[in-house]
Amino acid sequence: MSEYLPETIGDVNAKTEHDLREPAMYKVLLHNDDYTTMEFVVQVLMVVFHKSIEDATRIMLNVHKQGIGVCGLFTYEIAETKVDTVVRMARDNGHPLKCTMEKA
């Protein structure tokens, strides 16, 4: 959707086009490893991503079986914060859990 809004630049009246677009979305991903416990992954999904025990378990099993699992879709800033939170939480608890984001 575009709108033309008049703007005054000095003595000149100009029209500026403003595009209103949805922000790009990013997938937050958890990666399987041989050391992080399944229980810890479920805890991360419940605490950081507010998943129910059932959804957290389903995502954890996908990470375990497929090697990767999608935690959710977020705007860039929120996805980045979630990745940082997961990594910090994992390191604080002695786990090498890898969490990344990619454009959806």
Side-chain angles (χ1 to χ4, degrees), residues 48-82:
V48 178
F49 298 96
H50 309 287
K51 300 293 183 185
S52 67
I53 185 78
E54 295 83 10
D55 287 343
T57 301
R58 180 182 48 77
I59 295 167
M60 176 276 297
L61 288 171
N62 199 46
V63 171
H64 181 68
K65 292 176 182 176
Q66 303 297 319
I68 198 164
V70 178
C71 303
L73 289 173
F74 307 95
T75 59
Y76 182 85
E77 291 79 10
I78 293 172
E80 185 176 49
T81 300
K82 298 245 184 226

Side-chain angles (χ1 to χ4, degrees), residues 10-30:
D11 290 338
V12 178
N13 190 14
K15 292 187 182 237
T16 304
E17 183 177 336
H18 292 277
D19 287 328
L20 301 176
R21 286 183 248 151
E22 292 291 320
M25 299 302 283
Y26 291 79
K27 293 187 279 188
V28 174
L29 307 166
L30 288 180

Side-chain angles (χ1 to χ4, degrees), residues 40 56 69 99:
F40 183 76
C99 184

Side-chain angles (χ1 to χ4, degrees), residues 2 6 25 37 42 46 57-58 64 70 77 94 98 100 103:
S2 297
M25 299 302 283
T37 65
V42 169
M46 291 174 67
T57 301
R58 180 182 48 77
H64 181 68
V70 178
E77 291 79 10
K98 183 178 177 183
T100 61
K103 197 166 186 177

